[in-house]
Amino acid sequence: MLKLQGIIPPMITPLTDQDRLDLASLESLLEYMIDGGIHGVFLLGTTGEAPSLTHELRKQLIDAATKIIAGRIPVLVGISDTSFTETIQLAKTAEKYPVDAFVLTHPYYFPSYGPQFRQYVDHVLDAVSLPVILYNMPENTKVKFDLDLVRYALDRDGIIGMKDSSGDLDFFWRSCELAAASGKEFPILMGPEHLLGTSIRLGGSGGVSGGANLWPSLFVRMFEAAKGNDLAKMRDLQKKIDLLGKIYRVAENGGRVFRGLKCALKYRALCSGITAQPFTEPDPAEQKRIFQIVDELNPVKL
Amino acid sequence: MLKLQGIIPPMITPLTDQDRLDLASLESLLEYMIDGGIHGVFLLGTTGEAPSLTHELRKQLIDAATKIIAGRIPVLVGISDTSFTETIQLAKTAEKYPVDAFVLTHPYYFPSYGPQFRQYVDHVLDAVSLPVILYNMPENTKVKFDLDLVRYALDRDGIIGMKDSSGDLDFFWRSCELAAASGKEFPILMGPEHLLGTSIRLGGSGGVSGGANLWPSLFVRMFEAAKGNDLAKMRDLQKKIDLLGKIYRVAENGGRVFRGLKCALKYRALCSGITAQPFTEPDPAEQKRIFQIVDELNPVKL
Amino acid sequence: MLKLQGIIPPMITPLTDQDRLDLASLESLLEYMIDGGIHGVFLLGTTGEAPSLTHELRKQLIDAATKIIAGRIPVLVGISDTSFTETIQLAKTAEKYPVDAFVLTHPYYFPSYGPQFRQYVDHVLDAVSLPVILYNMPENTKVKFDLDLVRYALDRDGIIGMKDSSGDLDFFWRSCELAAASGKEFPILMGPEHLLGTSIRLGGSGGVSGGANLWPSLFVRMFEAAKGNDLAKMRDLQKKIDLLGKIYRVAENGGRVFRGLKCALKYRALCSGITAQPFTEPDPAEQKRIFQIVDELNPVKL
Amino acid sequence: MLKLQGIIPPMITPLTDQDRLDLASLESLLEYMIDGGIHGVFLLGTTGEAPSLTHELRKQLIDAATKIIAGRIPVLVGISDTSFTETIQLAKTAEKYPVDAFVLTHPYYFPSYGPQFRQYVDHVLDAVSLPVILYNMPENTKVKFDLDLVRYALDRDGIIGMKDSSGDLDFFWRSCELAAASGKEFPILMGPEHLLGTSIRLGGSGGVSGGANLWPSLFVRMFEAAKGNDLAKMRDLQKKIDLLGKIYRVAENGGRVFRGLKCALKYRALCSGITAQPFTEPDPAEQKRIFQIVDELNPVKL
């Protein structure tokens, strides 16, 4: 059975053009992250700019990435679309490749509340053949999960875990407590990477940390330090994670995380800085500031 | 040249199933609204549940609706998708049919700010061959237009107007003032229907009023009363519009406008109450309450 | 009976020190505003920094201002405190002076909803002997009035009008409609000055415009142009009001309106720039920018 | 030196009337809480309805409470007012009694940002002779502390700790980390009581838990369990704290915490349910529901 533990980066999608995959960078980035010790990879998430990509390109990415990974680590794939039927079609496409689980958010144009989303998830589960991780992403979907949804997820076959990007540590902790009380293996993964260490202390299973595209071993070490309850080491690593996080505060006008990450990865020759529309690369002054932060992060260790 | 004035309802999308168009209802609803005096129709907007529908179904809708309309009124089509390239593909598909203009929102997963959206719009305009109406829909896209964007739109060939669903009457009025000062024909249409009358008094050109699916002549009369500055008549019509608006406050858990409208239209035998996922029809008690409001609205006049 | 129509500036409170009134400036500022044609004055509002002043200083201000005004224009006095009994004590003090009406907000520490605030208002009305104007100030009190409260106010003896600083033009217009339908004289005054012109067109009675401390005749002219429905003149005046409004966007870190106004008035030698704690004067660069805006406003006309 | 550790309840203010202290209940409630093992008490906080009380009543409360307490536990007193000078007067009054420290929030009408609040705090510290605890209460003051303010507080003589009611566990944890790194004794206390256990695990020093008015030993036990890292016991106590917290969700229309607490205390004959204006007691159905929760909490143990 799939083991979701540790650092599972939401991979940025390397592009040579908004409709063309950068296959060379895809390979080098994946090898770099696997070398860095990551425990899995999440394709086509928010950091992967999935909603900005054509369905065709998403398919190419799954195809190419799974070939490169070749079973070395678990592969999660985001399948969310605003249309139920397009979501199922994405899933059907992804099922043809060696993918381990799907990641599903609430559809992101219309918010819904109460039982409707649960029924929606039921219908998705009935239509797909891989296990599903629910993804709580209120900033982009407008819908914040509540503990009733966690209870539902714990009871429902086919749902094997949750990724929580709400930033609400009380919700995160209570979800972990519910999972622990259920006796079920039900990993809960932290989205925002600056909360990774704290989340592990509160019962979390790992992190979907965007910064692990740039410095995978940093997050792997934080995960291990937190599992070992090594507070002194955690403090030291937190400083580096916070410094890395400054990259996300440089680029103005939206899309800061992946625009910042791609810019930093460009500086490290791991991919181009190209993002899909409506985003553009950070401007020259912003790029320079991002490069400085990467330098400050100590490129040898990186 | 296309004249955008008056009531241009955002048509609900009649369904027999979430992936199947209800062609009979489509025809009867369009005829009903045209009989009611509407000045155009907007397909595949928010009320039309466009983001919840497959691209295939959207194409079928454009095909069928334009055949029924047969040039009698202008046809606007929403082309927004989170992916730029999918947006262009939707537009290319729509261009094969007798469509008059496109309606474009900000992509709705990631918000962006500043020049990026203007550049995005430029790229869309370069790729499509029909004029475009910009659609300010902050509630669903997270991006609220500012007056700089209105200034850009007024200067940019290919953009012929704006639909404003922000509910910010000061922004609406200032946009109208900018349009008036430009000397250009640049209609600005009000989204929220309870603001229709006021918006016309402040310089607006008309309304994209969801309630006109249910009672087109009510909104046409409000438009005319407001153009004629007949405050007494406006007051009387406003009461009916406010009563109709209660329909949108019945259904809980999201999607209230189209779920309420479809339920009311079902009661009037104009279409089924079926909505695309993740939404379900209002529950029986809610439906009963909606039927009561329709009754109260005076079914003879309806 | 008190006639509330036109421009009733919320007077800034001139200080030589946070606990000392600047009597000379008080006199010159009041004479300047009366010369400018204002129709009343509102002491101890938000712009007057009332909550930051001691009760003793508030009493001195009422004493001094009413002596200077000497019945030439109506005087409104804000009496709100978070404590009911302190509010009544403020009112009792103010009643000893020739004051025309009180202005009352929701107590501003704890928000309350529903019937509690109505009961609170009832108790205030029972305890004071002057008429009361309700003041909708959600930004500072966290409580936004609804139309039920307006209906209550229209029915309740002792409430003679409303000041609306919510910025919600639809609420403002609907309140005016309710007032008109009641057949009662019930003036509704606009808070945010950039909405003054529009508010008059929608049925408002005037404005509590902070900028009238600096340029009273500008707002008086806007009021008159709007009453006369002179759209061309309104457009011209709106440009000046918008330029004046830039003063409020200069000072960072809070208190922008009165900090900006006092800085501009200092430049025009009408008072010092001193504000009560926790606020400080704008920094030198900000002051310079404010002075430039005042210059641009045309000092001769000012 | 004052030791701030453990459970320091924000005492409700027992009233026989909104302007009259209930001295008998004050004594019985204080004895009840001291018996329950509390480590200090906080008078005139949010739960104590301080902003709704006259300055005279606040003085009476300090007088009476300190006499009853007679040095058995540390006494903290809230001194915040919107006026700086009134704040100092409250402090001067309180200094005449055996009070251990003051609690200071941002003034709560106007928000300010950046250096202004730090300067304000400096001025308060210069004017008072007791140590000060800063109180982060964004919900009521509109101003959320940032880590720069925590750094300032750690450096500034006279500030001996912080109470954090923001509910932001990441901010809380980072504040604790800054305090630990400073080498200074600087307790950080958690406001929201459902976060008490987690906050201790993250480095907090205790809780200002409103529910300790009703069941002091419950919170004392949670504090001790968390200090001892007894997760099983914490889980059990958390369930009770969560059940108690349901009391706060019963009363509608604002003021839920103290209205709920006073109602529960009335049921337990520890004080009347009377609250200061604008609040009223929960309605009969709400009261019944609150009584049921108290029963469910196990009255013997209570």
Side-chain angles (χ1 to χ4, degrees):
Chain A
M1 195 199 154
L2 176 62
K3 182 124 182 115
L4 286 174
Q5 273 244 340
I7 302 306
I8 303 170
M11 194 183 68
I12 60 97
T13 302
L15 300 171
T16 56
D17 170 282
Q18 81 171 344
D19 290 320
R20 203 141 13 156
L21 211 51
D22 177 349
L23 286 167
S25 296
L26 180 67
E27 178 156 10
S28 51
L29 183 62
L30 277 167
E31 292 301 341
Y32 169 69
M33 289 197 292
I34 292 171
D35 276 0
I38 60 171
H39 306 89
V41 70
F42 170 30
L43 308 180
L44 297 171
T46 300
T47 305
E49 295 173 84
S52 304
L53 306 174
T54 60
H55 285 210
E56 177 57 27
L57 194 145
R58 297 189 215 184
K59 180 184 139 187
Q60 291 167 15
L61 175 72
I62 299 166
D63 180 15
T66 50
K67 280 205 178 72
I68 295 164
I69 292 164
R72 287 179 288 171
I73 51 173
V75 176
L76 315 185
V77 171
I79 57 169
S80 288
D81 190 278
T82 52
S83 156
F84 173 83
T85 306
E86 301 281 359
T87 294
I88 301 305
Q89 284 171 8
L90 278 166
K92 291 288 166 210
T93 301
E95 284 173 3
K96 294 175 189 149
Y97 300 92
V99 164
D100 295 277
F102 293 143
V103 181
L104 184 72
T105 65
H106 190 283
Y108 37 82
Y109 190 76
F110 297 115
S112 79
Y113 308 96
Q116 292 180 128
F117 181 51
R118 291 200 286 279
Q119 184 177 310
Y120 171 89
V121 175
D122 274 340
H123 290 168
V124 171
L125 289 167
D126 291 346
V128 304
S129 55
L130 286 181
V132 163
I133 294 154
L134 291 186
Y135 176 7
N136 186 22
M137 186 30 145
E139 187 178 335
N140 287 81
T141 67
K142 304 152 213 160
V143 175
K144 192 180 170 193
F145 291 1
D146 59 17
L147 292 174
D148 281 342
L149 188 73
V150 179
R151 285 185 196 97
Y152 155 80
L154 281 162
D155 271 353
R156 181 61 164 89
D157 282 343
I159 305 179
I160 58 164
M162 181 167 75
K163 174 189 171 187
D164 179 23
S165 291
S166 70
D168 178 343
L169 284 168
D170 188 46
F171 172 77
F172 186 89
W173 168 70
R174 287 174 184 272
S175 298
C176 293
E177 289 289 300
L178 286 174
S182 77
K184 200 176 162 181
E185 178 76 12
F186 193 88
I188 301 184
L189 304 165
M190 171 52 69
E193 64 203 50
H194 66 282
L195 302 176
L196 173 63
T198 302
S199 75
I200 304 296
R201 289 179 67 194
L202 296 177
S205 296
V208 183
S209 314
N213 283 276
L214 183 63
W215 196 354
S217 65
L218 173 61
F219 294 88
V220 170
R221 279 181 285 153
M222 175 58 105
F223 171 69
E224 285 163 1
K227 292 298 284 184
N229 209 26
D230 183 341
L231 293 180
K233 198 166 194 179
M234 286 176 74
R235 263 173 201 150
D236 183 54
L237 295 165
Q238 186 72 42
K239 274 179 204 144
K240 290 188 173 70
I241 289 175
D242 290 340
L243 177 55
L244 194 160
K246 285 189 180 171
I247 288 172
Y248 311 144
R249 290 198 287 280
V250 173
E252 299 211 346
N253 295 323
R256 302 186 304 178
V257 172
F258 52 82
R259 288 169 73 214
L261 276 177
K262 284 188 160 180
C263 177
L265 290 167
K266 179 175 80 169
Y267 186 57
R268 303 213 58 239
L270 281 161
C271 82
S272 79
I274 296 167
T275 51
Q277 294 205 50
F279 296 104
T280 54
E281 293 192 56
D283 68 35
E286 291 168 347
Q287 296 200 23
K288 202 175 152 194
R289 177 78 193 106
I290 289 171
F291 299 163
Q292 284 168 344
I293 296 170
V294 175
D295 285 340
E296 218 184 316
L297 277 168
N298 183 355
V300 181
K301 289 295 267 284
L302 269 179
Chain B
M1 195 198 153
L2 176 63
K3 184 126 183 112
L4 287 173
Q5 273 242 340
I7 303 305
I8 302 170
M11 193 183 71
I12 58 99
T13 302
L15 299 171
T16 56
D17 169 282
Q18 80 172 345
D19 291 318
R20 203 134 22 147
L21 211 51
D22 177 349
L23 286 167
S25 295
L26 179 67
E27 177 155 12
S28 53
L29 182 61
L30 277 167
E31 293 300 339
Y32 170 68
M33 290 197 290
I34 292 172
D35 276 2
I38 60 169
H39 305 89
V41 71
F42 169 31
L43 308 179
L44 296 170
T46 299
T47 304
E49 296 173 84
S52 303
L53 307 175
T54 62
H55 286 210
E56 177 57 28
L57 193 146
R58 297 189 215 184
K59 179 184 140 187
Q60 292 167 14
L61 175 72
I62 299 167
D63 179 16
T66 51
K67 279 203 178 73
I68 295 164
I69 292 163
R72 288 178 289 171
I73 51 171
V75 177
L76 315 186
V77 170
I79 56 170
S80 287
D81 188 279
T82 51
S83 155
F84 174 83
T85 306
E86 301 281 358
T87 295
I88 301 306
Q89 284 170 9
L90 278 166
K92 291 289 165 206
T93 301
E95 284 173 3
K96 294 174 189 149
Y97 300 93
V99 164
D100 296 276
F102 293 143
V103 180
L104 184 72
T105 65
H106 190 283
Y108 38 82
Y109 190 78
F110 297 115
S112 79
Y113 308 96
Q116 291 180 129
F117 181 52
R118 292 200 285 281
Q119 184 177 310
Y120 170 89
V121 175
D122 274 339
H123 290 168
V124 171
L125 290 166
D126 291 346
V128 304
S129 56
L130 286 180
V132 162
I133 293 154
L134 291 186
Y135 176 7
N136 187 23
M137 185 31 142
E139 186 178 336
N140 288 80
T141 67
K142 305 151 212 158
V143 175
K144 191 179 171 194
F145 291 0
D146 59 17
L147 293 174
D148 282 340
L149 188 74
V150 179
R151 285 185 196 99
Y152 155 81
L154 282 161
D155 271 353
R156 181 61 163 89
D157 281 344
I159 305 179
I160 59 165
M162 181 167 75
K163 174 188 170 187
D164 179 23
S165 290
S166 70
D168 178 342
L169 284 167
D170 187 46
F171 172 77
F172 186 90
W173 168 70
R174 287 174 185 272
S175 298
C176 293
E177 289 288 300
L178 286 175
S182 76
K184 199 175 161 181
E185 178 76 15
F186 191 88
I188 301 184
L189 303 166
M190 172 52 70
E193 64 203 51
H194 66 283
L195 303 176
L196 172 64
T198 303
S199 75
I200 304 295
R201 289 179 68 195
L202 296 177
S205 296
V208 181
S209 313
N213 282 277
L214 183 64
W215 196 354
S217 65
L218 172 61
F219 294 89
V220 170
R221 280 181 285 153
M222 175 57 104
F223 171 69
E224 284 163 2
K227 292 298 283 184
N229 209 27
D230 184 342
L231 293 180
K233 199 166 195 177
M234 286 176 74
R235 264 172 201 153
D236 183 54
L237 295 165
Q238 186 72 42
K239 273 178 205 147
K240 291 190 172 69
I241 289 175
D242 290 340
L243 176 56
L244 193 160
K246 286 189 178 171
I247 288 171
Y248 311 145
R249 290 199 287 280
V250 173
E252 299 212 345
N253 296 322
R256 303 185 303 180
V257 171
F258 52 82
R259 287 169 74 213
L261 277 177
K262 283 188 160 180
C263 177
L265 290 166
K266 179 176 79 169
Y267 186 58
R268 305 213 57 241
L270 281 160
C271 81
S272 79
I274 295 168
T275 52
Q277 294 205 50
F279 296 104
T280 54
E281 291 193 58
D283 69 33
E286 290 169 347
Q287 295 200 25
K288 200 176 153 195
R289 177 77 193 107
I290 290 172
F291 299 164
Q292 283 168 343
I293 297 169
V294 176
D295 285 340
E296 217 183 317
L297 277 168
N298 183 353
V300 181
K301 288 296 267 285
L302 269 179
Chain C
M1 194 197 154
L2 176 62
K3 184 127 181 108
L4 287 173
Q5 273 242 340
I7 303 305
I8 302 171
M11 193 182 70
I12 59 97
T13 302
L15 300 171
T16 57
D17 169 281
Q18 83 171 343
D19 291 319
R20 205 144 8 158
L21 211 52
D22 177 349
L23 286 167
S25 296
L26 179 66
E27 178 156 10
S28 52
L29 182 61
L30 277 167
E31 293 301 340
Y32 169 69
M33 290 197 291
I34 293 171
D35 276 1
I38 60 170
H39 305 89
V41 70
F42 170 30
L43 308 179
L44 296 171
T46 300
T47 305
E49 295 173 86
S52 304
L53 307 174
T54 62
H55 286 209
E56 177 57 28
L57 194 145
R58 297 188 215 183
K59 178 185 140 187
Q60 291 168 15
L61 175 72
I62 299 167
D63 180 16
T66 51
K67 280 205 177 73
I68 295 163
I69 293 163
R72 288 179 287 171
I73 51 172
V75 177
L76 316 186
V77 171
I79 57 168
S80 288
D81 188 278
T82 51
S83 156
F84 174 83
T85 306
E86 301 282 357
T87 295
I88 301 305
Q89 284 172 8
L90 278 166
K92 291 289 165 205
T93 301
E95 285 173 2
K96 295 175 188 149
Y97 300 92
V99 165
D100 296 276
F102 293 143
V103 180
L104 185 72
T105 64
H106 190 283
Y108 38 82
Y109 190 77
F110 296 115
S112 79
Y113 308 96
Q116 292 180 128
F117 181 52
R118 292 200 286 280
Q119 184 176 311
Y120 170 89
V121 175
D122 274 340
H123 290 168
V124 171
L125 290 167
D126 291 345
V128 304
S129 55
L130 286 181
V132 162
I133 293 153
L134 292 185
Y135 176 7
N136 187 22
M137 185 32 142
E139 186 178 335
N140 288 79
T141 67
K142 305 151 212 157
V143 176
K144 192 178 172 196
F145 292 179
D146 59 18
L147 293 174
D148 281 341
L149 188 73
V150 179
R151 284 184 196 99
Y152 155 80
L154 282 162
D155 270 354
R156 181 60 164 88
D157 281 344
I159 306 178
I160 60 164
M162 181 168 75
K163 174 188 171 188
D164 179 22
S165 290
S166 69
D168 178 343
L169 284 167
D170 187 47
F171 172 78
F172 185 90
W173 168 70
R174 286 174 185 271
S175 298
C176 293
E177 290 288 300
L178 286 174
S182 76
K184 200 177 161 181
E185 177 76 15
F186 192 87
I188 301 183
L189 304 165
M190 172 51 70
E193 63 203 53
H194 66 282
L195 303 175
L196 173 63
T198 303
S199 74
I200 304 295
R201 289 178 69 194
L202 296 176
S205 295
V208 182
S209 314
N213 283 275
L214 183 64
W215 197 354
S217 65
L218 172 62
F219 294 89
V220 170
R221 279 181 284 151
M222 175 58 105
F223 171 70
E224 284 163 1
K227 292 299 283 184
N229 209 25
D230 184 341
L231 293 180
K233 197 165 194 178
M234 286 176 73
R235 264 173 200 152
D236 183 54
L237 295 165
Q238 186 72 42
K239 274 178 205 149
K240 291 189 171 69
I241 289 174
D242 290 340
L243 177 56
L244 194 159
K246 286 189 179 172
I247 288 171
Y248 312 145
R249 290 198 288 279
V250 173
E252 300 210 345
N253 297 322
R256 303 187 303 181
V257 171
F258 51 83
R259 288 168 74 213
L261 276 177
K262 282 188 160 180
C263 176
L265 289 167
K266 180 175 80 169
Y267 186 58
R268 303 214 56 240
L270 280 161
C271 82
S272 79
I274 296 167
T275 51
Q277 293 205 49
F279 296 104
T280 55
E281 292 192 57
D283 69 34
E286 290 169 348
Q287 294 200 24
K288 201 175 154 195
R289 177 77 192 107
I290 290 172
F291 298 164
Q292 283 168 342
I293 297 169
V294 175
D295 285 340
E296 217 184 317
L297 278 167
N298 182 353
V300 181
K301 288 295 267 285
L302 271 178
Chain D
M1 194 198 156
L2 176 61
K3 185 127 182 111
L4 288 173
Q5 273 242 341
I7 302 305
I8 302 171
M11 195 183 68
I12 60 98
T13 301
L15 301 171
T16 56
D17 169 282
Q18 82 170 342
D19 291 320
R20 204 137 16 150
L21 211 51
D22 178 348
L23 285 167
S25 296
L26 179 66
E27 179 157 9
S28 52
L29 182 61
L30 277 167
E31 293 301 338
Y32 170 68
M33 290 197 291
I34 292 171
D35 276 0
I38 61 170
H39 306 88
V41 70
F42 170 29
L43 308 179
L44 296 171
T46 300
T47 305
E49 294 174 84
S52 303
L53 307 174
T54 62
H55 285 211
E56 178 56 27
L57 193 145
R58 298 189 214 183
K59 181 185 138 186
Q60 292 167 14
L61 175 72
I62 299 167
D63 180 15
T66 51
K67 280 204 178 70
I68 295 163
I69 292 164
R72 288 179 287 172
I73 51 171
V75 177
L76 315 186
V77 171
I79 58 169
S80 287
D81 189 278
T82 51
S83 156
F84 173 83
T85 306
E86 301 281 359
T87 294
I88 301 306
Q89 284 172 8
L90 278 166
K92 291 289 166 207
T93 300
E95 284 173 3
K96 295 176 188 148
Y97 300 92
V99 165
D100 295 276
F102 292 143
V103 180
L104 185 71
T105 65
H106 190 284
Y108 37 82
Y109 190 77
F110 296 115
S112 80
Y113 308 96
Q116 292 180 129
F117 181 52
R118 291 200 285 280
Q119 184 176 309
Y120 171 88
V121 175
D122 274 339
H123 290 168
V124 171
L125 289 167
D126 291 346
V128 304
S129 55
L130 286 180
V132 163
I133 293 154
L134 291 186
Y135 176 7
N136 187 23
M137 186 31 143
E139 186 177 337
N140 287 80
T141 67
K142 305 151 211 158
V143 176
K144 191 178 171 193
F145 292 180
D146 59 17
L147 293 175
D148 282 341
L149 188 73
V150 179
R151 284 185 196 100
Y152 155 81
L154 282 162
D155 271 352
R156 181 60 164 91
D157 281 344
I159 305 179
I160 59 164
M162 181 167 75
K163 174 190 170 186
D164 179 22
S165 291
S166 69
D168 179 342
L169 284 167
D170 187 46
F171 173 77
F172 186 90
W173 168 70
R174 286 173 185 273
S175 298
C176 293
E177 290 289 299
L178 286 174
S182 76
K184 201 175 161 181
E185 178 77 12
F186 192 87
I188 301 184
L189 303 165
M190 172 52 69
E193 64 204 51
H194 66 283
L195 303 175
L196 173 63
T198 303
S199 74
I200 305 296
R201 290 179 68 195
L202 296 177
S205 296
V208 183
S209 314
N213 283 275
L214 183 63
W215 195 354
S217 65
L218 172 62
F219 294 89
V220 170
R221 279 181 285 152
M222 174 58 106
F223 171 69
E224 284 162 2
K227 292 299 283 186
N229 209 27
D230 183 342
L231 293 180
K233 198 165 195 179
M234 286 176 73
R235 263 173 202 152
D236 183 54
L237 295 165
Q238 186 72 42
K239 273 178 206 147
K240 291 189 173 68
I241 289 175
D242 289 341
L243 176 57
L244 193 160
K246 285 190 179 170
I247 288 172
Y248 311 145
R249 290 198 287 280
V250 173
E252 299 211 345
N253 296 321
R256 302 187 301 180
V257 172
F258 52 82
R259 288 169 74 213
L261 277 177
K262 284 188 159 179
C263 177
L265 289 167
K266 179 174 80 170
Y267 186 58
R268 303 214 58 239
L270 281 160
C271 83
S272 78
I274 296 167
T275 51
Q277 294 207 48
F279 296 104
T280 55
E281 292 192 56
D283 68 34
E286 291 168 347
Q287 294 200 24
K288 201 177 153 192
R289 177 77 193 107
I290 289 171
F291 299 164
Q292 284 168 343
I293 297 170
V294 175
D295 285 339
E296 217 183 319
L297 276 167
N298 181 357
V300 181
K301 287 298 267 284
L302 269 178

